[in-house]
Amino acid sequence: MIKNCTLKNVDDEKIFQIEIADTFMKRFLGLMGRKKIPAGQGLLIAPCNSIHMFFMRFSIDAVYIDKNFVVKKIVRNLPAWIGLSICFGAHAVIEFAAGEADRLNFQIGSRVVV
C-alpha cells in the first residue's frame, strides 16, 4: 500500500509517498533485494526502532519517528552491507534513498502527515 504524505516544517511543506511495511514479512524484507528506491518515495517500517543494512545494494537515509509521527532522529547515508542504526523511543522508521532526507528538508521535530 502506498500513501501520500506531507512533511510539515515551520516554514515549508514537502510532499512524498511512502510504502507501508506493517506485517512481519514486509518488515523483515524491507528494502532488501531492491536495486533502488525512487526519489520522493520511502518505506515506512512500523513498529521499528532499529535497522540493519545486511544484503542491501544501496545507501539510505533513515528517518525515525514517534507514535505522533514527529521526527526524532535522522541518519544520513547509512552504508549498504555494514550500516546499523537504532533510535530508542522511536515507533517507526522511514527509509529513503541516500540524500532524500536533505532534499525533502527533514528536521528533528518535523511532523509527517499521512
Side-chain angles (χ1 to χ4, degrees):
M1 175 187 326
I2 295 181
K3 299 257 186 187
N4 289 321
C5 298
T6 304
L7 174 69
K8 295 190 177 227
N9 287 316
V10 175
D11 56 354
D12 81 325
E13 292 185 4
K14 302 284 188 201
I15 296 175
F16 61 95
Q17 294 184 324
I18 57 168
E19 179 182 347
I20 300 173
D22 57 356
T23 66
F24 173 79
M25 192 53 100
K26 288 180 182 177
R27 288 191 320 264
F28 175 76
L29 291 175
L31 295 174
M32 287 189 301
R34 298 188 194 188
K35 292 182 181 178
K36 66 178 184 170
I37 188 164
Q41 290 188 13
L43 177 69
L44 178 117
I45 303 172
C48 180
N49 72 350
S50 64
I51 58 174
H52 67 80
M53 298 295 290
F54 306 129
F55 307 106
M56 288 287 294
R57 299 177 182 190
F58 54 94
S59 298
I60 65 168
D61 289 345
V63 178
Y64 291 93
I65 56 176
D66 65 17
K67 287 185 177 184
N68 297 312
F69 290 85
V70 175
V71 175
K72 294 184 59 69
K73 180 178 180 179
I74 302 163
V75 180
R76 292 171 174 83
N77 205 28
L78 196 58
W81 281 97
I82 60 171
L84 294 170
S85 178
I86 190 166
C87 178
F88 295 108
H91 172 70
V93 64
I94 307 173
E95 298 178 341
F96 294 97
E100 284 295 284
D102 286 338
R103 188 183 75 76
L104 292 169
N105 196 24
F106 273 91
Q107 300 170 20
I108 304 298
S110 297
R111 184 172 171 81
V112 177
V113 179
V114 179

